[in-house]
Amino acid sequence: MARLVIVSNRVPDPGETSGPRAGGLAVGLADALVPGSLWFGWSGKTAEHTSTTAKLTEADGLTYATIDLGESDYRAFYLGFSNGTLWPLFHMMPGHAEFDRGDYVIYREVNQAFAAALLPLLKPDDLIWIHDYQLLGVAAALRAAGVTNRIGFFLHIPFPAPALFEVLPPAKALLEAMLAHDVIGFQTGYDRAHFLGALSSGLGMIAHEGTVIYRQRKVSCIVNPIGIDADGFSRMAASIARRIDARRMIESLAGRALMIGVDRLDYTKGLPERFDAYQRFLQHYPEHRRQISFLQIAAPSREEVERYRTLREELNHKAGAINGQYSDFDWVPLRYMTRTAPRSMVAGLYRLARIGLVTPLRDGMNLVAKEYIAAQNPDNPGVLILSRFAGAASGLPEAMLVNPFDVDGVAEAISLALTMPLDERQARYKALIARVREVSAAAYSRAFTARLADVSVQPPPRVLKTAI
Ligand code: GDG
């Protein structure tokens, strides 16, 4: 069997995989990372210069190969073009996007540096699976170096509507770079349709059943939603919910219903709008005021980016205003934590929560929605309120779907969820847990690698002087 080579921006430190940061890609790919696989990417550390050769570490039968990023490359590639340009634009928030040609040049160079450091580690029949928006140009750089291996790419975040994508000055170059892959995976049908639309308007290419031909090579664009290990997560939630800190939580609730939100502190997650909706709920439904306690865990993220710092200040202000206005001597309506909580504790809290409030303005998938469902007690399940603009919404129609921009609508949904009868909660849960189990992490990685393994080896593109 061909070896699997995973390429992602961040490679987890093998010594830290059970810590609070565990999750994300490591969980999604657990099934694909069979012994013998290689995981290549950035170590998360900066140095004077970007490394030209990877540092290898062996753990649990896997090889982790990492490079450090030069301080100025980190600023331009990671904080600049990846998170200051692509992240907001792909989430269809052009107001937050800035474009700097110098940052883009460095983005290209860092993608080429990834390819150059990976090249000597590759074997001829390796299946290479590249992840996410930071690395759109790695495959093109590998092709330019003559690599004929099968290369797949998965975009974890949304692909924007073509009219927005075209706002990017290097839009065409990025599309051409993406066409150096054999298989490109998207979270939802919308994302794939947007990508195919951008190919059509930007490069005049027409797809047939999701496949396009570019420089005599076939590129298959597939929809392959990411999932979680529902049964493992459910077991963790149930065992934690029996522990001492869970009892402390239950005591502190004094019979009130818990509503929970768990997000990275990111402007795409819709936290200010969520706080506004909660405030509107408290204002419009005074009969429910003392029956609910809202816990928002907001894990700090990308704190070196100015927009993330202002978001944090805005949320501190809103949280203070809600508690100042509505708290009583024996009741605090909002508990707001800007710390990363251990994963097991998050799982236990989901299980205790009567409502899971997941209202991103735009999200590739949103795994919190799936984790919340997996964590529920089947006999007394909670209600998931989910943004229709999360990729997860297209696969979870039995959730209470809301428009996160509609503050009154979300306030109303909280009131309905709080009073939803047990039989309706159980019926929704039954349908949702079946879906979360079916579209699992294992199914995600198996489907993608099977599709990639199925591709016949194609010659490298004839003309590819520059990577992107
Ligand atoms: C990207 C895409 C896509 C959060 N706070 C804590 C914590 N978390 C964990 C959650 C969940 C993960 O982080 C977040 O996953 P999401 O899917 O919600 O969001 P992103 O980080 O933006 O991920 C997204 C995903 O990639 C996968 O393709 O779904 O759309 O944006 O697992 O539980 N975990 C712990 N403490 C926290 O405080 N331990």
Side-chain angles (χ1 to χ4, degrees), residues 20-24 87 91 154 156-157 187 226 262-264 269 297 299 339-343 346 350 363-368 371:
R21 284 177 162 272
W87 176 267
H91 285 87
F154 186 77
H156 288 259
I157 65 174
Q187 301 271 27
I226 195 165
V262 177
D263 306 78
R264 277 189 308 100
K269 302 293 181 183
I297 299 178
R339 289 196 299 281
T340 304
R343 188 162 171 79
V346 170
Y350 285 144
D363 217 327
M365 175 54 59
N366 195 298
L367 295 179
V368 169
E371 291 167 357

Side-chain angles (χ1 to χ4, degrees), residues 40-43 47 49-56 64-69 112-121:
F40 175 90
W42 177 36
S43 61
H49 299 290
T50 297
S51 328
T52 50
T53 51
K55 183 181 145 209
L56 303 183
Y64 295 82
T66 55
I67 56 171
D68 297 339
L69 285 179
Q112 286 160 3
F114 265 67
L118 174 61
L119 201 55
L121 307 177

Side-chain angles (χ1 to χ4, degrees), residues 214-351:
Y214 177 66
R215 300 195 197 276
Q216 288 153 19
R217 303 178 77 260
K218 252 197 204 170
V219 184
S220 305
C221 304
I222 63 169
V223 176
N224 190 38
I226 195 165
I228 62 165
D229 167 16
D231 293 330
F233 201 82
S234 168
R235 278 194 299 275
M236 174 159 60
S239 78
I240 296 300
R242 288 192 284 269
R243 274 190 0 202
I244 186 85
D245 32 4
R247 259 183 264 136
R248 272 174 46 211
M249 182 72 200
I250 294 168
E251 275 167 27
S252 81
L253 285 170
R256 297 186 178 99
L258 174 66
M259 177 163 78
I260 194 166
V262 177
D263 306 78
R264 277 189 308 100
L265 234 173
D266 192 294
Y267 53 82
T268 61
K269 302 293 181 183
L271 294 170
E273 295 77 4
R274 192 180 304 173
F275 282 10
D276 289 348
Y278 185 53
Q279 186 163 31
R280 191 67 56 88
F281 162 81
L282 295 170
Q283 181 191 351
H284 284 188
Y285 302 88
E287 68 278 19
H288 292 326
R289 264 181 211 164
R290 296 176 56 91
Q291 297 173 357
I292 192 168
S293 178
F294 175 24
L295 168 65
Q296 175 65 54
I297 299 178
S301 181
R302 303 177 193 164
E303 289 175 278
E304 283 169 88
V305 180
E306 168 71 14
R307 182 66 192 93
Y308 287 74
R309 286 197 299 271
T310 55
L311 173 68
R312 200 174 170 141
E313 282 161 24
E314 185 185 357
L315 290 169
N316 286 344
H317 180 77
K318 283 187 188 286
I322 292 172
N323 281 336
Q325 187 173 359
Y326 292 103
S327 287
D328 213 335
F329 61 87
D330 60 348
W331 171 58
V332 178
L334 173 63
R335 307 172 189 201
Y336 174 49
M337 278 171 57
T338 48
R339 289 196 299 281
T340 304
R343 188 162 171 79
S344 55
M345 188 205 259
V346 170
L349 290 170
Y350 285 144
R351 190 173 174 100

